[in-house]
Coordinates of all heavy atoms in Angstrom, one line a residue:
Chain A
S6 N 2.0 5.9 8.5 CA 2.1 6.7 9.8 C 0.8 7.3 10.1 O 0.6 7.8 11.1 CB 3.0 7.9 9.6 OG 2.6 8.7 8.5
C36 N -31.9 21.0 -12.5 CA -32.8 19.9 -12.3 C -34.2 20.7 -12.4 O -35.2 20.1 -12.9 CB -32.8 19.4 -11.0 SG -31.4 18.2 -10.8
S76 N -23.5 3.1 -15.3 CA -23.7 2.4 -14.1 C -23.0 1.1 -14.0 O -22.8 0.4 -13.0 CB -25.2 2.2 -13.9 OG -25.6 1.0 -14.7
V106 N -25.5 3.5 -8.6 CA -26.8 3.6 -8.1 C -27.6 4.8 -8.6 O -28.8 4.8 -9.0 CB -26.8 3.6 -6.5 CG1 -28.2 4.0 -6.0 CG2 -26.5 2.2 -5.9
T228 N -32.6 -6.3 -31.6 CA -33.6 -7.2 -31.9 C -34.5 -6.6 -33.1 O -35.3 -7.3 -33.5 CB -34.5 -7.5 -30.8 OG1 -34.9 -6.3 -30.2 CG2 -33.8 -8.4 -29.8
N297 N -15.0 -3.4 -35.4 CA -15.9 -4.5 -35.9 C -17.3 -4.0 -36.4 O -17.8 -4.3 -37.3 CB -16.2 -5.4 -34.7 CG -15.3 -6.4 -34.6 OD1 -15.3 -7.4 -35.4 ND2 -14.2 -6.4 -33.7
V342 N -1.4 6.4 -22.6 CA -0.4 5.4 -22.7 C 1.0 5.9 -22.2 O 1.9 5.0 -21.8 CB 0.0 5.1 -24.2 CG1 -1.1 3.9 -24.6 CG2 0.1 6.1 -25.0
G346 N 1.0 11.0 -18.6 CA -0.3 11.1 -18.8 C -1.2 10.5 -17.7 O -2.4 10.9 -17.6
R347 N -0.7 9.7 -17.1 CA -1.4 9.0 -15.9 C -1.3 9.7 -14.6 O -1.6 9.2 -13.6 CB -1.0 7.4 -15.8 CG -1.3 6.8 -17.1 CD -1.3 5.2 -16.9 NE 0.1 4.8 -16.7 CZ 0.9 4.4 -17.6 NH1 0.6 4.5 -18.8 NH2 2.1 3.9 -17.3
A355 N -8.7 13.5 -19.6 CA -8.9 12.3 -20.4 C -10.3 11.8 -19.9 O -11.2 11.4 -20.8 CB -7.9 11.2 -20.3
T374 N -29.7 5.9 -37.2 CA -30.3 4.7 -37.7 C -31.9 5.0 -38.1 O -32.3 4.5 -39.0 CB -30.3 3.5 -36.6 OG1 -29.0 3.0 -36.7 CG2 -31.3 2.4 -36.9

Side-chain angles (χ1 to χ4, degrees):
Chain A
S6 61
C36 286
S76 80
V106 168
T228 50
N297 269 285
V342 279
R347 296 193 294 270
T374 282

